[in-house]
Amino acid sequence: MKVLVINAGSSSLKYQLYDMTDESVLAAGRVERIGMESAILTHEPAGKPEVREVSEILDHTAAIRKVLAVIVHSEHGVIRSIEDIQAVGHRVVHGGESFRESAIVTPEVKQEIKRLFDLAPLHNPAHMMGISAVEANLPGVPQVVVFDTAFHQTMDQNAYLYPIPLALYRRHKIRKYGFHGTSHMYVSRRAAEFLGRKLEELKIVTCHIGNGASVTAVKGGKSVDTSMGMTPLEGLMMGTRSGDLDPAVVPFVMGKEDLTIGEVSSMLNKHSGLIAISGISSDMREIQEAMEEGHPNARLAFEMYEYRLRKYIGAYAAAMNGIDAIVFTAGVGENSWLLRARTCLNLAYLGVEIDPEANLVRSKEDRRISTANSKVEVLVIPTNEELVIARDTYALVRSEESGA
Ligand code: ADP
């Protein structure tokens, strides 16, 4: 079965085409600047040169049409006919309390995703556009939605409720949901496999550190706490997001600087974190380069970032009464040996001991970076959210076909 995985944003759309017989990626790519005259399609077919096309792509339906055309193109294509695509899987950021797992798209499921627009106003409407665009271009092909929040639905009330009037939870579903769930689930399972141990027996802290960043406490394979909240703003300091701060800062700054709700929200989501402190960049590579050149605010930004990450790992060791493994993943987690080294150096009290040489190895493979003496296993596991989406899509569509 060929499965197309789609991650639709408001003005961009990423895709991967999987052959599920061996889980190989036949092609990957993205459409950027949707809605503009000079939209860009970048298509990377396996074993063939990359293709880049600039053209007018006015909406998501046109973007999917373009993607399908290049996938079956006589020269750049990877399959003969779009009829070979038997299922489509979508990443959906917010599943609220309605979705504890992935689901086949039905009219009811679409209705529910729309109901959740309030909770994810930037993401869910874009995902719906992706779903409708696939319906228009591939009528009758089953679609599956895979939620960033689903893995965290196992959290207990004491972890997911905020200590504010309960009526707000009842009326508006204000609570912690957590994100990056597909990644935290994937790397925690891979960690157990790598260690040759049963997931049910392990207490793992998974650190997904990319532009957006979150830490999850995974106990017995289940998320028991996670650093992101009702929205992805809570928790760690990120590239452009503040993460945790005193909630009183919000009304205070609105008053002092005469900011609207939209402006303060933009400040916290887009103009805070690494970019705000360093004044240089939201990109960890650039922060590290500036640090090496002696830029004091780049150093401060790095130190705050590491300090806040370390505090969360400590908190989750407390939440689970100990930890067996720490996993680093995503752009920064997989690549920044410096962040891993600094963070782990300060976790010596937990019995964490890093092997400096192993930590320096650059590889796309799962690997251990702790010493044989370390009481806690420290692993680097490249995440693969698209593969999880492809697998869930394949499994759900097959089981529906065999049940039908
Ligand atoms: P997203 O959240 O957009 O999926 P990624 O997981 O791709 O983000 O992570 C992007 C981040 O990874 C950027 O801040 C980038 O600087 C960082 N990164 C990538 N390579 C390195 C590296 N070699 N050293 C430090 N940071 C890196």
mmCIF file of all heavy atoms in Angstrom, residues 264-306:
data_model
loop_
_atom_site.group_PDB
_atom_site.id
_atom_site.type_symbol
_atom_site.label_atom_id
_atom_site.label_comp_id
_atom_site.label_asym_id
_atom_site.label_seq_id
_atom_site.Cartn_x
_atom_site.Cartn_y
_atom_site.Cartn_z
ATOM 1 N N VAL A 264 0.245 40.851 22.545
ATOM 2 C CA VAL A 264 0.989 40.180 23.629
ATOM 3 C C VAL A 264 1.177 38.709 23.283
ATOM 4 O O VAL A 264 2.226 38.113 23.553
ATOM 5 C CB VAL A 264 0.326 40.409 25.011
ATOM 6 C CG1 VAL A 264 -0.868 39.526 25.246
ATOM 7 C CG2 VAL A 264 1.326 40.212 26.126
ATOM 8 N N SER A 265 0.183 38.134 22.614
ATOM 9 C CA SER A 265 0.292 36.736 22.221
ATOM 10 C C SER A 265 1.405 36.567 21.180
ATOM 11 O O SER A 265 2.205 35.618 21.241
ATOM 12 C CB SER A 265 -1.070 36.294 21.687
ATOM 13 O OG SER A 265 -0.952 35.121 20.999
ATOM 14 N N SER A 266 1.477 37.512 20.253
ATOM 15 C CA SER A 266 2.537 37.463 19.242
ATOM 16 C C SER A 266 3.911 37.642 19.898
ATOM 17 O O SER A 266 4.882 36.963 19.547
ATOM 18 C CB SER A 266 2.246 38.554 18.216
ATOM 19 O OG SER A 266 3.376 38.826 17.471
ATOM 20 N N MET A 267 3.993 38.542 20.887
ATOM 21 C CA MET A 267 5.265 38.748 21.576
ATOM 22 C C MET A 267 5.741 37.440 22.229
ATOM 23 O O MET A 267 6.908 37.058 22.099
ATOM 24 C CB MET A 267 5.116 39.826 22.650
ATOM 25 C CG MET A 267 6.381 40.060 23.457
ATOM 26 S SD MET A 267 6.049 40.980 24.962
ATOM 27 C CE MET A 267 5.763 39.674 26.127
ATOM 28 N N LEU A 268 4.814 36.755 22.903
ATOM 29 C CA LEU A 268 5.214 35.549 23.640
ATOM 30 C C LEU A 268 5.489 34.365 22.721
ATOM 31 O O LEU A 268 6.309 33.507 23.041
ATOM 32 C CB LEU A 268 4.129 35.168 24.655
ATOM 33 C CG LEU A 268 3.901 36.193 25.772
ATOM 34 C CD1 LEU A 268 2.669 35.830 26.590
ATOM 35 C CD2 LEU A 268 5.130 36.280 26.680
ATOM 36 N N ASN A 269 4.778 34.300 21.584
ATOM 37 C CA ASN A 269 4.934 33.162 20.672
ATOM 38 C C ASN A 269 6.023 33.360 19.627
ATOM 39 O O ASN A 269 6.685 32.404 19.234
ATOM 40 C CB ASN A 269 3.616 32.873 19.943
ATOM 41 C CG ASN A 269 2.662 32.053 20.791
ATOM 42 O OD1 ASN A 269 2.906 30.875 21.028
ATOM 43 N ND2 ASN A 269 1.595 32.678 21.260
ATOM 44 N N LYS A 270 6.173 34.599 19.168
ATOM 45 C CA LYS A 270 7.058 34.819 18.008
ATOM 46 C C LYS A 270 8.285 35.657 18.304
ATOM 47 O O LYS A 270 9.229 35.670 17.515
ATOM 48 C CB LYS A 270 6.266 35.499 16.891
ATOM 49 C CG LYS A 270 5.121 34.645 16.393
ATOM 50 C CD LYS A 270 4.508 35.243 15.148
ATOM 51 C CE LYS A 270 3.274 34.470 14.728
ATOM 52 N NZ LYS A 270 2.218 35.362 14.268
ATOM 53 N N HIS A 271 8.259 36.418 19.399
ATOM 54 C CA HIS A 271 9.386 37.338 19.641
ATOM 55 C C HIS A 271 10.010 37.125 21.020
ATOM 56 O O HIS A 271 10.522 38.063 21.612
ATOM 57 C CB HIS A 271 8.915 38.795 19.487
ATOM 58 C CG HIS A 271 8.235 39.044 18.170
ATOM 59 N ND1 HIS A 271 8.933 39.125 16.992
ATOM 60 C CD2 HIS A 271 6.929 39.178 17.851
ATOM 61 C CE1 HIS A 271 8.087 39.319 15.996
ATOM 62 N NE2 HIS A 271 6.859 39.349 16.482
ATOM 63 N N SER A 272 9.930 35.921 21.525
ATOM 64 C CA SER A 272 10.516 35.638 22.841
ATOM 65 C C SER A 272 11.541 34.514 22.692
ATOM 66 O O SER A 272 12.026 34.277 21.590
ATOM 67 C CB SER A 272 9.398 35.264 23.821
ATOM 68 O OG SER A 272 8.560 36.388 24.039
ATOM 69 N N GLY A 273 11.879 33.844 23.784
ATOM 70 C CA GLY A 273 12.809 32.715 23.711
ATOM 71 C C GLY A 273 14.207 33.126 23.268
ATOM 72 O O GLY A 273 14.683 34.226 23.559
ATOM 73 N N LEU A 274 14.867 32.231 22.525
ATOM 74 C CA LEU A 274 16.263 32.460 22.114
ATOM 75 C C LEU A 274 16.447 33.786 21.377
ATOM 76 O O LEU A 274 17.396 34.524 21.636
ATOM 77 C CB LEU A 274 16.731 31.329 21.175
ATOM 78 C CG LEU A 274 17.007 29.959 21.786
ATOM 79 C CD1 LEU A 274 17.384 28.962 20.683
ATOM 80 C CD2 LEU A 274 18.134 30.027 22.821
ATOM 81 N N ILE A 275 15.507 34.094 20.475
ATOM 82 C CA ILE A 275 15.655 35.315 19.671
ATOM 83 C C ILE A 275 15.608 36.561 20.557
ATOM 84 O O ILE A 275 16.351 37.518 20.342
ATOM 85 C CB ILE A 275 14.590 35.384 18.544
ATOM 86 C CG1 ILE A 275 14.737 36.621 17.655
ATOM 87 C CG2 ILE A 275 13.170 35.409 19.068
ATOM 88 C CD1 ILE A 275 15.694 36.481 16.561
ATOM 89 N N ALA A 276 14.749 36.522 21.579
ATOM 90 C CA ALA A 276 14.572 37.703 22.425
ATOM 91 C C ALA A 276 15.798 37.953 23.291
ATOM 92 O O ALA A 276 16.232 39.088 23.467
ATOM 93 C CB ALA A 276 13.343 37.523 23.304
ATOM 94 N N ILE A 277 16.343 36.890 23.852
ATOM 95 C CA ILE A 277 17.473 37.066 24.776
ATOM 96 C C ILE A 277 18.774 37.308 24.020
ATOM 97 O O ILE A 277 19.560 38.181 24.378
ATOM 98 C CB ILE A 277 17.595 35.835 25.719
ATOM 99 C CG1 ILE A 277 16.303 35.646 26.529
ATOM 100 C CG2 ILE A 277 18.811 35.955 26.629
ATOM 101 C CD1 ILE A 277 15.952 36.795 27.462
ATOM 102 N N SER A 278 18.985 36.545 22.946
ATOM 103 C CA SER A 278 20.252 36.690 22.216
ATOM 104 C C SER A 278 20.246 37.958 21.361
ATOM 105 O O SER A 278 21.292 38.555 21.124
ATOM 106 C CB SER A 278 20.488 35.481 21.305
ATOM 107 O OG SER A 278 19.569 35.481 20.233
ATOM 108 N N GLY A 279 19.071 38.334 20.861
ATOM 109 C CA GLY A 279 19.010 39.443 19.904
ATOM 110 C C GLY A 279 19.629 39.062 18.571
ATOM 111 O O GLY A 279 19.812 39.910 17.698
ATOM 112 N N ILE A 280 19.944 37.779 18.400
ATOM 113 C CA ILE A 280 20.645 37.343 17.180
ATOM 114 C C ILE A 280 19.778 36.437 16.323
ATOM 115 O O ILE A 280 19.574 36.673 15.138
ATOM 116 C CB ILE A 280 21.932 36.567 17.550
ATOM 117 C CG1 ILE A 280 22.907 37.488 18.267
ATOM 118 C CG2 ILE A 280 22.593 35.955 16.315
ATOM 119 C CD1 ILE A 280 24.129 36.773 18.767
ATOM 120 N N SER A 281 19.273 35.372 16.934
ATOM 121 C CA SER A 281 18.610 34.350 16.136
ATOM 122 C C SER A 281 17.757 33.440 17.027
ATOM 123 O O SER A 281 17.989 33.337 18.235
ATOM 124 C CB SER A 281 19.678 33.511 15.432
ATOM 125 O OG SER A 281 19.104 32.412 14.799
ATOM 126 N N SER A 282 16.797 32.759 16.382
ATOM 127 C CA SER A 282 16.024 31.739 17.096
ATOM 128 C C SER A 282 16.624 30.361 16.819
ATOM 129 O O SER A 282 16.141 29.349 17.308
ATOM 130 C CB SER A 282 14.572 31.757 16.603
ATOM 131 O OG SER A 282 14.547 31.449 15.219
ATOM 132 N N ASP A 283 17.667 30.355 15.992
ATOM 133 C CA ASP A 283 18.251 29.097 15.522
ATOM 134 C C ASP A 283 19.436 28.712 16.407
ATOM 135 O O ASP A 283 20.398 29.476 16.535
ATOM 136 C CB ASP A 283 18.705 29.316 14.066
ATOM 137 C CG ASP A 283 19.109 28.029 13.393
ATOM 138 O OD1 ASP A 283 20.054 27.370 13.875
ATOM 139 O OD2 ASP A 283 18.484 27.694 12.382
ATOM 140 N N MET A 284 19.362 27.519 17.002
ATOM 141 C CA MET A 284 20.385 27.120 17.966
ATOM 142 C C MET A 284 21.785 27.070 17.361
ATOM 143 O O MET A 284 22.770 27.380 18.032
ATOM 144 C CB MET A 284 19.997 25.779 18.597
ATOM 145 C CG MET A 284 20.915 25.319 19.680
ATOM 146 S SD MET A 284 21.237 26.583 20.941
ATOM 147 C CE MET A 284 20.087 26.117 22.207
ATOM 148 N N ARG A 285 21.878 26.699 16.072
ATOM 149 C CA ARG A 285 23.204 26.682 15.445
ATOM 150 C C ARG A 285 23.848 28.062 15.493
ATOM 151 O O ARG A 285 25.017 28.217 15.834
ATOM 152 C CB ARG A 285 23.084 26.258 13.977
ATOM 153 C CG ARG A 285 23.469 24.825 13.749
ATOM 154 C CD ARG A 285 23.115 24.443 12.357
ATOM 155 N NE ARG A 285 21.713 24.817 12.078
ATOM 156 C CZ ARG A 285 20.970 24.271 11.131
ATOM 157 N NH1 ARG A 285 21.472 23.358 10.364
ATOM 158 N NH2 ARG A 285 19.721 24.633 10.957
ATOM 159 N N GLU A 286 23.041 29.061 15.142
ATOM 160 C CA GLU A 286 23.574 30.429 15.115
ATOM 161 C C GLU A 286 23.894 30.944 16.513
ATOM 162 O O GLU A 286 24.834 31.702 16.710
ATOM 163 C CB GLU A 286 22.592 31.363 14.391
ATOM 164 C CG GLU A 286 22.589 31.079 12.902
ATOM 165 C CD GLU A 286 21.524 31.855 12.137
ATOM 166 O OE1 GLU A 286 21.087 32.910 12.617
ATOM 167 O OE2 GLU A 286 21.141 31.366 11.059
ATOM 168 N N ILE A 287 23.103 30.503 17.490
ATOM 169 C CA ILE A 287 23.375 30.896 18.879
ATOM 170 C C ILE A 287 24.734 30.335 19.297
ATOM 171 O O ILE A 287 25.563 31.030 19.893
ATOM 172 C CB ILE A 287 22.273 30.357 19.833
ATOM 173 C CG1 ILE A 287 20.909 30.947 19.483
ATOM 174 C CG2 ILE A 287 22.636 30.580 21.300
ATOM 175 C CD1 ILE A 287 20.738 32.404 19.791
ATOM 176 N N GLN A 288 24.958 29.055 18.965
ATOM 177 C CA GLN A 288 26.224 28.431 19.369
ATOM 178 C C GLN A 288 27.422 29.075 18.664
ATOM 179 O O GLN A 288 28.473 29.266 19.266
ATOM 180 C CB GLN A 288 26.166 26.915 19.111
ATOM 181 C CG GLN A 288 25.237 26.230 20.089
ATOM 182 C CD GLN A 288 25.187 24.711 19.938
ATOM 183 O OE1 GLN A 288 24.266 24.083 20.411
ATOM 184 N NE2 GLN A 288 26.152 24.122 19.281
ATOM 185 N N GLU A 289 27.226 29.406 17.388
ATOM 186 C CA GLU A 289 28.327 30.064 16.664
ATOM 187 C C GLU A 289 28.645 31.423 17.290
ATOM 188 O O GLU A 289 29.804 31.770 17.510
ATOM 189 C CB GLU A 289 27.941 30.261 15.187
ATOM 190 C CG GLU A 289 28.154 28.995 14.354
ATOM 191 C CD GLU A 289 27.349 29.014 13.050
ATOM 192 O OE1 GLU A 289 26.974 30.128 12.598
ATOM 193 O OE2 GLU A 289 27.091 27.927 12.520
ATOM 194 N N ALA A 290 27.595 32.174 17.614
ATOM 195 C CA ALA A 290 27.802 33.502 18.216
ATOM 196 C C ALA A 290 28.463 33.370 19.589
ATOM 197 O O ALA A 290 29.296 34.193 19.983
ATOM 198 C CB ALA A 290 26.467 34.230 18.329
ATOM 199 N N MET A 291 28.113 32.307 20.309
ATOM 200 C CA MET A 291 28.700 32.070 21.624
ATOM 201 C C MET A 291 30.206 31.857 21.501
ATOM 202 O O MET A 291 31.003 32.392 22.268
ATOM 203 C CB MET A 291 28.080 30.792 22.189
ATOM 204 C CG MET A 291 27.497 30.924 23.532
ATOM 205 S SD MET A 291 26.427 29.528 23.834
ATOM 206 C CE MET A 291 27.520 28.339 24.472
ATOM 207 N N GLU A 292 30.565 31.061 20.472
ATOM 208 C CA GLU A 292 31.994 30.807 20.244
ATOM 209 C C GLU A 292 32.747 32.092 19.908
ATOM 210 O O GLU A 292 33.914 32.240 20.241
ATOM 211 C CB GLU A 292 32.181 29.803 19.099
ATOM 212 C CG GLU A 292 32.024 28.369 19.555
ATOM 213 C CD GLU A 292 31.902 27.403 18.391
ATOM 214 O OE1 GLU A 292 32.464 27.689 17.320
ATOM 215 O OE2 GLU A 292 31.220 26.373 18.573
ATOM 216 N N GLU A 293 32.033 33.013 19.264
ATOM 217 C CA GLU A 293 32.672 34.299 18.933
ATOM 218 C C GLU A 293 32.649 35.264 20.119
ATOM 219 O O GLU A 293 33.062 36.416 19.999
ATOM 220 C CB GLU A 293 31.951 34.946 17.743
ATOM 221 C CG GLU A 293 32.221 34.231 16.429
ATOM 222 C CD GLU A 293 31.170 34.552 15.359
ATOM 223 O OE1 GLU A 293 30.368 35.498 15.557
ATOM 224 O OE2 GLU A 293 31.157 33.842 14.349
ATOM 225 N N GLY A 294 32.100 34.800 21.241
ATOM 226 C CA GLY A 294 32.150 35.594 22.467
ATOM 227 C C GLY A 294 30.981 36.544 22.664
ATOM 228 O O GLY A 294 31.058 37.477 23.469
ATOM 229 N N HIS A 295 29.895 36.326 21.967
ATOM 230 C CA HIS A 295 28.721 37.190 22.101
ATOM 231 C C HIS A 295 28.024 36.910 23.447
ATOM 232 O O HIS A 295 27.494 35.823 23.657
ATOM 233 C CB HIS A 295 27.768 36.886 20.942
ATOM 234 C CG HIS A 295 26.760 37.945 20.706
ATOM 235 N ND1 HIS A 295 25.812 38.283 21.644
ATOM 236 C CD2 HIS A 295 26.543 38.742 19.638
ATOM 237 C CE1 HIS A 295 25.065 39.245 21.151
ATOM 238 N NE2 HIS A 295 25.475 39.543 19.939
ATOM 239 N N PRO A 296 28.029 37.896 24.386
ATOM 240 C CA PRO A 296 27.530 37.585 25.734
ATOM 241 C C PRO A 296 26.046 37.221 25.783
ATOM 242 O O PRO A 296 25.647 36.347 26.553
ATOM 243 C CB PRO A 296 27.805 38.869 26.533
ATOM 244 C CG PRO A 296 28.081 39.932 25.523
ATOM 245 C CD PRO A 296 28.518 39.275 24.267
ATOM 246 N N ASN A 297 25.220 37.865 24.972
ATOM 247 C CA ASN A 297 23.797 37.553 25.048
ATOM 248 C C ASN A 297 23.448 36.203 24.416
ATOM 249 O O ASN A 297 22.439 35.594 24.766
ATOM 250 C CB ASN A 297 22.954 38.676 24.435
ATOM 251 C CG ASN A 297 22.912 39.875 25.365
ATOM 252 O OD1 ASN A 297 23.456 39.815 26.472
ATOM 253 N ND2 ASN A 297 22.294 40.947 24.927
ATOM 254 N N ALA A 298 24.285 35.759 23.485
ATOM 255 C CA ALA A 298 24.087 34.416 22.935
ATOM 256 C C ALA A 298 24.373 33.399 24.038
ATOM 257 O O ALA A 298 23.642 32.415 24.209
ATOM 258 C CB ALA A 298 25.011 34.191 21.742
ATOM 259 N N ARG A 299 25.413 33.663 24.818
ATOM 260 C CA ARG A 299 25.738 32.768 25.940
ATOM 261 C C ARG A 299 24.601 32.754 26.966
ATOM 262 O O ARG A 299 24.183 31.696 27.425
ATOM 263 C CB ARG A 299 27.057 33.191 26.598
ATOM 264 C CG ARG A 299 27.408 32.407 27.866
ATOM 265 C CD ARG A 299 28.847 32.600 28.277
ATOM 266 N NE ARG A 299 29.768 32.195 27.238
ATOM 267 C CZ ARG A 299 30.122 30.933 26.986
ATOM 268 N NH1 ARG A 299 29.640 29.951 27.723
ATOM 269 N NH2 ARG A 299 30.951 30.641 26.012
ATOM 270 N N LEU A 300 24.105 33.937 27.273
ATOM 271 C CA LEU A 300 23.009 34.021 28.247
ATOM 272 C C LEU A 300 21.796 33.231 27.742
ATOM 273 O O LEU A 300 21.184 32.470 28.497
ATOM 274 C CB LEU A 300 22.635 35.497 28.469
ATOM 275 C CG LEU A 300 21.442 35.746 29.380
ATOM 276 C CD1 LEU A 300 21.699 35.219 30.790
ATOM 277 C CD2 LEU A 300 21.108 37.252 29.431
ATOM 278 N N ALA A 301 21.472 33.397 26.458
ATOM 279 C CA ALA A 301 20.320 32.689 25.888
ATOM 280 C C ALA A 301 20.523 31.182 25.993
ATOM 281 O O ALA A 301 19.621 30.439 26.404
ATOM 282 C CB ALA A 301 20.121 33.102 24.427
ATOM 283 N N PHE A 302 21.714 30.722 25.657
ATOM 284 C CA PHE A 302 22.017 29.286 25.720
ATOM 285 C C PHE A 302 21.896 28.790 27.158
ATOM 286 O O PHE A 302 21.313 27.736 27.425
ATOM 287 C CB PHE A 302 23.423 29.008 25.172
ATOM 288 C CG PHE A 302 23.786 27.548 25.178
ATOM 289 C CD1 PHE A 302 23.518 26.754 24.074
ATOM 290 C CD2 PHE A 302 24.384 26.956 26.295
ATOM 291 C CE1 PHE A 302 23.837 25.399 24.077
ATOM 292 C CE2 PHE A 302 24.698 25.609 26.307
ATOM 293 C CZ PHE A 302 24.428 24.829 25.190
ATOM 294 N N GLU A 303 22.446 29.567 28.088
ATOM 295 C CA GLU A 303 22.437 29.131 29.490
ATOM 296 C C GLU A 303 21.018 29.072 30.056
ATOM 297 O O GLU A 303 20.672 28.149 30.788
ATOM 298 C CB GLU A 303 23.347 30.035 30.330
ATOM 299 C CG GLU A 303 24.810 29.648 30.101
ATOM 300 C CD GLU A 303 25.809 30.585 30.762
ATOM 301 O OE1 GLU A 303 25.380 31.564 31.401
ATOM 302 O OE2 GLU A 303 27.016 30.322 30.608
ATOM 303 N N MET A 304 20.204 30.049 29.703
ATOM 304 C CA MET A 304 18.810 30.021 30.173
ATOM 305 C C MET A 304 18.061 28.816 29.594
ATOM 306 O O MET A 304 17.293 28.149 30.273
ATOM 307 C CB MET A 304 18.090 31.317 29.749
ATOM 308 C CG MET A 304 18.511 32.531 30.546
ATOM 309 S SD MET A 304 17.816 34.061 29.861
ATOM 310 C CE MET A 304 16.068 33.832 30.158
ATOM 311 N N TYR A 305 18.330 28.554 28.324
ATOM 312 C CA TYR A 305 17.673 27.453 27.603
ATOM 313 C C TYR A 305 18.017 26.117 28.271
ATOM 314 O O TYR A 305 17.144 25.292 28.552
ATOM 315 C CB TYR A 305 18.204 27.515 26.173
ATOM 316 C CG TYR A 305 17.520 26.678 25.126
ATOM 317 C CD1 TYR A 305 16.463 27.197 24.386
ATOM 318 C CD2 TYR A 305 17.974 25.396 24.817
ATOM 319 C CE1 TYR A 305 15.871 26.461 23.363
ATOM 320 C CE2 TYR A 305 17.381 24.655 23.803
ATOM 321 C CZ TYR A 305 16.334 25.195 23.082
ATOM 322 O OH TYR A 305 15.769 24.465 22.074
ATOM 323 N N GLU A 306 19.301 25.947 28.541
ATOM 324 C CA GLU A 306 19.771 24.700 29.165
ATOM 325 C C GLU A 306 19.244 24.575 30.595
ATOM 326 O O GLU A 306 18.803 23.511 31.015
ATOM 327 C CB GLU A 306 21.308 24.663 29.124
ATOM 328 C CG GLU A 306 21.935 23.415 29.707
ATOM 329 C CD GLU A 306 22.140 23.447 31.216
ATOM 330 O OE1 GLU A 306 22.593 24.490 31.744
ATOM 331 O OE2 GLU A 306 21.837 22.434 31.873
#
